[in-house]
Amino acid sequence: MSAQQTLVLIKPDGIVKSLTGNIITELSDTGIIIVGAKIVQVTRELAEEHYHHLREEKFFDELIKYIMGEFHVKRVLALVYHGENAVDKVRKVIGATNPEQSEPTSIRGKYGRITSKGVFENVVHASENKKEAEREIKLWFRPEELANTIYPTESKEVAKTEFFWKEK
Ligand code: DAT
Ligand code: MG
């Protein structure tokens, strides 16, 4: 089987609980590698697009606030992992969606909680399947931000404003 890529987000609760190191260590034990990494301040637009499949759910508004960092800190760490069977390997390490039902030794089982408002604060996101992984990676990253890509790319001429460090 050829290598897969998958999107992992260390969510705002994972950031404030200082779990970044633990999570990266557990994921590196699976033998897959990081090919993209950045801190993102999640906009409403990005949050709603990421979770578009849940827009009819009663917990949607709270979920959007949670991933935007309104309950913790306004940033997430976005990672792209690459390797054989990467999607399922990561899902297994992070555990089930509901932190009360996830395997106790999984990341969500160890560190997740359900708030009194019913939000699953489950510390980390990972793509559910290959199709979602492709959609999510393309939503969160541009091709040049990845050390290697498994999806075809193309170049286009664009006019744009770039920022530089100001010279003294
Ligand atoms: P996963 O994150 O395991 O892929 P999902 O895509 O179904 O799960 O849902 C995305 C997030 O929404 C999930 O991480 C936490 C929240 N969520 C899902 N189901 C929920 C529920 N029944 N009550 C509260 N939050 C929920
Ligand atoms: Mg999901």
Side-chain angles (χ1 to χ4, degrees):
M1 205 179 73
S2 55
Q4 297 177 346
Q5 292 189 343
T6 190
L7 181 80
V8 171
L9 303 175
I10 300 184
K11 296 180 178 180
D13 53 327
I15 301 280
V16 294
K17 288 176 175 172
S18 200
L19 293 170
T20 304
N22 302 42
I23 294 166
I24 290 176
T25 300
E26 294 208 25
L27 290 172
S28 88
D29 290 342
T30 66
I32 56 175
I33 61 164
I34 298 171
V35 294
K38 63 178 176 182
I39 290 288
V40 181
Q41 292 185 306
V42 181
T43 61
R44 178 165 296 277
E45 190 187 18
L46 176 59
E48 289 183 353
E49 190 58 37
H50 178 73
Y51 283 130
H52 76 111
H53 60 295
L54 298 170
R55 62 191 173 276
E56 306 298 332
E57 301 288 344
K58 58 182 184 314
F59 58 80
F60 186 69
D61 287 348
E62 294 295 307
L63 176 63
I64 296 303
K65 283 189 204 157
Y66 163 44
I67 198 70
M68 288 178 70
E70 297 202 6
F71 308 133
H72 303 92
V73 69
K74 288 193 170 42
R75 55 182 191 275
V76 302
L77 177 61
L79 301 161
V80 176
Y81 277 88
H82 175 105
E84 289 295 316
N85 206 18
V87 172
D88 287 349
K89 275 185 184 157
V90 173
R91 286 293 293 197
K92 188 158 193 306
V93 173
I94 74 165
T97 307
N98 180 338
E100 286 185 358
Q101 289 170 3
S102 37
E103 174 69 34
T105 57
S106 68
I107 293 168
R108 287 168 164 179
K110 278 192 231 180
Y111 307 120
R113 67 170 195 143
I114 302 178
T115 69
S116 51
K117 283 188 170 174
V119 181
F120 292 179
E121 286 186 2
N122 54 13
V123 178
V124 62
H125 165 84
S127 311
E128 269 168 70
N129 54 52
K130 267 170 64 179
K131 195 161 166 261
E132 272 295 282
E134 178 172 357
R135 185 187 76 84
E136 293 175 357
I137 289 167
K138 289 178 175 176
L139 178 64
W140 287 79
F141 284 84
R142 293 194 310 274
E144 68 267 26
E145 294 177 306
L146 301 179
N148 73 49
T149 55
I150 61 170
Y151 314 115
T153 60
E154 61 183 345
S155 61
K156 288 181 192 170
E157 291 287 325
V158 289
K160 61 175 183 178
T161 304
E162 287 193 31
F163 287 89
F164 296 91
W165 297 115
K166 195 169 178 180
E167 283 175 31
K168 286 199 175 118

